[in-house]
Amino acid sequence: MLHFPVLLEESVDFLVNKKEGSYIDCTYGRGGHTQKILETISSNSQLTSFDKDSDAIEHANNIENTNFKIIHDSFSNINKYFSKDSVDGILYDLGTCSTHFDDASRGFSFRHNGPLDMRFDTKKGKPLKDWINKATENDIKEVLYKYGDEKHAKLISRNIVKYRNQNTLDSTLQLANLIQDIYPDKKNKIHPATKSFQAFRIHLNDELTELSDSLIHAKSLLKKNGIVVVISFHSLEDNIVKNFFKAEIKNYPKDIPINNEEFKEFECIAKKVRPSAKEIELNNRSRSAIMRVFKKL
């Protein structure tokens, strides 16, 4: 299946607030947003994209624009490559690339059989198989609750450990079928393993910590009037984003008349932008996307 960049026109329209500038695409994926940005900015501008996935880097190396650079690193490390007040716009598309789900060998899909991996960067860290075959029942349960909001986390974690006593969990379908077989809500429209696979992926790749760290760096790297565009795909990401950019309350001593003054570093210029019905029809995976846009003051 092809990868369709979500909210492509809308995100780039907000991001590129001037034709000549320095821009960052934090998640190259298969280059949909990167290509659109390059079409929009002038040749005097600079676009730098990041990705942890070696396949994405190989794909990006086919781009011949002299004002483009790809970096094989996590977007949590953008501060290593840019100085303070040097960037005009930063884009985060937090969705997992469709090719990850369609390539069974990557271990992201509960519909196709493959090794239990789920790493974005297969050259770093350990695959999910290593963790899930050793983690305690409580650790598994906590991950399912925290990152998947899975109400049957206790039941699933107990059965994973029970299964482990007899077998090694090696493949995605082993795990998916184990969850499906014991899941109480079988008539639910979504696959019973959906939330569990999301939770394990987020945990394994430390996705929420990386997002929080990157936003801290983005705040410093952006110039005045610089733009941050974030496309989230679940409430955990979206809550981090909207809370991060909330106005801070400065508590001054009571005898100073400006007590509890709001200190705004960023202005929200677009919130909860969702894909159109037409886009969702063309790409069902876009249905959960929410875009928020902030401008540095």
Side-chain angles (χ1 to χ4, degrees), residues 6 93 139 295 297:
V6 176
D93 173 5
D139 284 345
K295 181 170 74 171
L297 302 176

Side-chain angles (χ1 to χ4, degrees), residues 73-90:
D73 201 352
S74 166
F75 59 54
S76 63
N77 295 322
I78 55 175
N79 60 310
K80 294 181 180 179
Y81 305 93
F82 294 88
S83 56
K84 186 178 180 181
D85 302 326
S86 66
V87 180
D88 293 285
I90 302 175

Side-chain angles (χ1 to χ4, degrees), residues 16-242:
V16 181
N17 56 346
K18 58 182 182 181
K19 296 287 185 180
E20 295 189 2
S22 174
Y23 294 93
I24 300 174
D25 180 358
C26 284
T27 46
Y28 176 84
R30 284 303 175 266
H33 287 102
T34 285
Q35 290 282 10
K36 184 65 177 177
I37 296 166
L38 287 171
E39 292 169 10
T40 307
I41 61 178
S42 76
S43 58
N44 295 323
S45 294
Q46 177 66 41
L47 172 62
T48 303
S49 295
F50 287 78
D51 212 293
K52 296 197 294 184
D53 189 332
S54 298
D55 291 342
I57 301 303
E58 185 177 339
H59 188 278
N61 285 332
N62 294 315
I63 297 178
E64 297 179 350
N65 299 55
T66 56
N67 61 339
F68 170 71
K69 180 167 64 175
I70 183 72
I71 295 177
H72 188 190
D73 201 352
S74 166
F75 59 54
S76 63
N77 295 322
I78 55 175
N79 60 310
K80 294 181 180 179
Y81 305 93
F82 294 88
S83 56
K84 186 178 180 181
D85 302 326
S86 66
V87 180
D88 293 285
I90 302 175
L91 170 67
Y92 294 87
D93 173 5
L94 301 176
T96 305
C97 188
S98 298
T99 54
H100 289 146
F101 294 109
D102 299 327
D103 181 355
S105 69
R106 298 303 301 271
F108 287 90
S109 175
F110 46 74
R111 300 189 186 279
H112 309 294
N113 200 31
L116 268 182
D117 196 323
M118 290 198 194
R119 289 172 296 169
F120 290 131
D121 187 346
T122 55
K123 295 179 180 179
K124 291 183 179 179
K126 295 181 179 180
L128 179 65
K129 173 188 170 181
D130 288 20
W131 179 82
I132 205 167
N133 280 293
K134 295 177 181 177
T136 66
E137 181 179 329
N138 189 63
D139 284 345
I140 296 170
K141 181 186 71 175
E142 289 301 311
V143 164
L144 292 172
Y145 274 135
K146 185 176 181 181
Y147 298 128
D149 193 26
E150 175 53 75
K151 63 181 178 180
H152 300 301
K154 188 173 182 179
L155 177 64
I156 293 169
S157 59
R158 184 191 308 134
N159 277 274
I160 286 174
V161 172
K162 183 180 177 181
Y163 183 90
R164 264 178 14 194
N165 291 334
Q166 306 285 326
N167 312 272
T168 300
L169 271 169
D170 289 313
S171 75
T172 51
L173 285 190
Q174 260 184 307
L175 179 59
N177 291 338
L178 183 158
I179 295 170
Q180 188 170 29
D181 289 346
I182 55 92
Y183 207 77
D185 307 326
K186 295 192 190 304
K187 293 183 179 179
N188 200 318
K189 286 184 179 180
I190 67 168
H191 192 286
T194 301
K195 290 183 176 182
S196 296
F197 270 60
Q198 171 189 296
F200 292 139
R201 190 202 77 224
I202 291 172
H203 169 71
L204 188 74
N205 294 286
D206 203 15
E207 293 178 36
L208 301 186
T209 300
E210 291 206 343
L211 173 59
S212 297
D213 289 348
S214 189
L215 291 175
I216 291 169
H217 300 319
K219 181 187 286 191
S220 172
L221 299 182
L222 280 170
K223 299 176 183 177
K224 181 181 177 182
N225 295 322
I227 301 293
V228 181
V229 179
V230 188
I231 304 170
S232 305
F233 288 81
H234 54 75
S235 59
L236 294 172
E237 294 169 339
D238 189 49
N239 286 335
I240 287 173
V241 173
K242 67 183 181 183

